[in-house]
């Protein structure tokens, strides 16, 4: 048994600081396919430092270089606390949510702290769901962003934790989509996106992909997630990122670089529901999506 409950709910990281620059912001935008047409005046501000805009989901990668604060004490855990060790070879990213309490600036330095906020036991042979939260604080002590991610640990079920009470996914409307957006990905999309920090060879090395059961490298799930945010920017906010407060979704199937992703959107006031699919393979790749506008 590698997960100890409820000890896992005490897991947290010491405060870390990180800085990102305009280059990081532009690299992320390029990684989710923006700027393919360098004359597109709507997308150019995301990939050019003049009047630079930030894609809201860039928050998922901008803290990748976070380093521990010098001299920061280790977290103090209760007596008898046991460190949980998850089998990361059996881990799948299940869900992702970004909440922006303030719009992201083009450059910035922040402090980030992360903690485990939930763990659910699906059964010995059915895995476990672990939910982690990261909070960014600016130099004024104000909250800027909250990132919540759900991990499906396929090899860690049966630890004796609760089986019910996990947050329910957003339910998209049953009516036909109000609009749909087709976004093409390039054959080299994963090779560019990986420069944001995730260099898992599953996304770049054909042999590693085959060992994982795929015919070729797959696109990062967080890249697909960013593409769905790009679709909301394009179809709903006229490329104004400051209108987006939060963006969340579940990952349901892989995308291969070169696929065209169709993002279906439903607009209900400030709530934008969405799902994404690859029509050529009849595959739904993102489910239960919800963007909340300010």
């Amino acid at each position: 048994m590698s997960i100890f409950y409820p000890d896992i709910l005490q897991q947290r990281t010491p405060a870390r600081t990180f800085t990102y620059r305009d280059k990081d912001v532009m690299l992320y935008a390029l990684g989710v396919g923006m700027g393919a047409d360098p004359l597109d005046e709507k997308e150019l501000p995301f990939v050019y430092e003049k009047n630079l805009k930030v894609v809201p989901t860039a928050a998922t990668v901008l803290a990748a270089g976070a380093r521990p604060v010098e001299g920061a004490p280790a977290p103090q855990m209760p007596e008898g606390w046991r460190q949980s060790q998850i089998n990361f070879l059996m881990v799948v990213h299940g869900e992702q949510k970004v909440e922006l309490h303030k719009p992201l600036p083009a450059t910035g330095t922040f402090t980030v702290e992360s903690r485990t906020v939930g763990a659910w036991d699906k059964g010995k042979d059915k895995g476990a769901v672990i939910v982690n939260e990261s909070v960014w604080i600016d130099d004024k002590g104000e909250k800027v962003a909250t990132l919540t991610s759900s991990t499906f640990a396929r090899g860690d079920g049966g630890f004796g934790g609760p089986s019910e009470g996990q947050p329910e996914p957003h339910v998209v409307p049953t009516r036909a989509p109000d609009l749909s957006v087709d976004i093409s990905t390039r054959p080299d999309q994963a090779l560019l996106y990986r420069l944001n920090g995730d260099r898992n060879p599953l996304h770049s090395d054909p042999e590693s992909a085959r060992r994982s059961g795929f015919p070729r490298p797959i696109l990062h799930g967080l890249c697909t997630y960013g593409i769905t945010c790009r679709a909301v920017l394009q179809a709903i906010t006229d490329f104004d990122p400051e209108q987006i407060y939060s963006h969340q979704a579940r990952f349901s199937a892989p995308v291969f670089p070169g696929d065209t992703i169709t993002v279906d959107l439903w607009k209900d006031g400030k709530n934008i529901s969405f799902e994404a699919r690859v029509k050529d393979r009849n595959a739904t790749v993102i489910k239960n999506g919800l963007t909340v506008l300010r």
Side-chain angles (χ1 to χ4, degrees):
M1 184 183 295
S2 56
I3 294 177
F4 300 107
Y5 190 88
D7 305 55
I8 192 171
L9 301 182
Q10 301 294 330
Q11 288 190 164
R12 60 190 66 236
T13 63
R16 298 167 290 156
T17 57
F18 69 97
T19 296
Y20 66 80
R21 304 299 185 197
D22 59 358
K23 180 185 72 172
D24 305 304
V25 168
M26 291 184 283
L27 179 61
Y28 178 82
L30 290 167
V32 298
M34 301 188 89
D37 178 0
L39 298 182
D40 185 334
E41 295 185 0
K42 296 287 189 179
E43 292 192 359
L44 187 61
F46 292 90
V47 296
Y48 173 42
E49 60 271 20
K50 182 180 179 181
N51 301 318
L52 185 61
K53 296 180 179 180
V54 185
V55 180
T57 49
T60 57
V61 303
L62 291 176
R67 59 177 176 78
V69 176
E70 186 175 352
Q76 296 300 308
M77 299 302 179
E79 185 177 351
W81 177 83
R82 298 166 296 175
Q83 173 74 47
S84 296
Q85 298 292 336
I86 296 171
N87 180 0
F88 285 100
L89 294 176
M90 298 287 286
V91 160
V92 175
H93 196 166
E95 301 178 43
Q96 181 66 51
K97 181 178 182 179
V98 170
E99 297 173 86
L100 296 179
H101 311 289
K102 298 179 178 181
L104 292 178
T107 65
T109 298
F110 305 93
T111 299
V112 60
E113 294 183 76
S114 302
R115 66 190 181 104
T116 301
V117 296
W120 287 270
D121 191 349
K122 297 300 183 182
K124 185 175 181 180
D125 299 319
K126 298 180 180 179
V129 175
I130 313 298
V131 178
N132 293 289
E133 177 188 89
S134 297
V135 176
W136 295 14
I137 303 295
D138 64 16
D139 56 5
K140 298 177 182 177
E142 297 177 350
K143 188 184 295 187
V144 175
T146 300
L147 280 66
T148 307
S149 63
S150 170
T151 296
F152 181 43
R154 294 175 293 168
D156 293 295
F159 63 88
S163 60
E164 298 181 352
Q166 182 181 348
E168 293 294 327
H170 171 68
V171 178
V172 303
T174 56
R175 68 180 188 269
D178 296 323
L179 63 163
S180 298
V181 178
D182 289 333
I183 296 180
S184 299
T185 64
R186 299 192 310 272
D188 64 348
Q189 194 90 44
L191 296 177
L192 177 59
Y193 184 86
R194 70 193 296 268
L195 300 181
N196 287 288
D198 183 351
R199 298 198 180 190
N200 186 331
L202 173 63
H203 307 294
S204 56
D205 180 51
E207 180 57 32
S208 292
R210 284 192 289 269
R211 287 199 302 267
S212 297
F214 297 103
R216 54 195 175 96
I218 64 174
L219 194 63
H220 303 69
L222 283 178
C223 183
T224 305
Y225 174 74
I227 288 171
T228 62
C229 185
R230 176 184 164 197
V232 174
L233 287 169
Q234 175 181 326
I236 304 295
T237 74
D238 194 28
F239 291 95
D240 178 7
E242 295 193 4
Q243 291 188 36
I244 294 178
Y245 168 70
S246 67
H247 189 80
Q248 67 187 70
R250 296 179 68 196
F251 304 101
S252 55
V255 170
F256 293 97
D259 281 344
T260 295
I261 300 171
T262 299
V263 183
D264 298 319
L265 303 116
W266 294 262
K267 193 175 190 303
D268 295 290
K270 292 184 179 295
N271 289 345
I272 311 300
S273 302
F274 64 88
E275 290 194 337
R277 54 199 168 93
V278 176
K279 289 186 285 189
D280 288 347
R281 293 189 285 108
N282 194 29
T284 298
V285 296
I286 291 284
K287 292 182 177 181
N288 306 105
L290 174 65
T291 300
V292 177
L293 306 179
R294 296 184 189 278

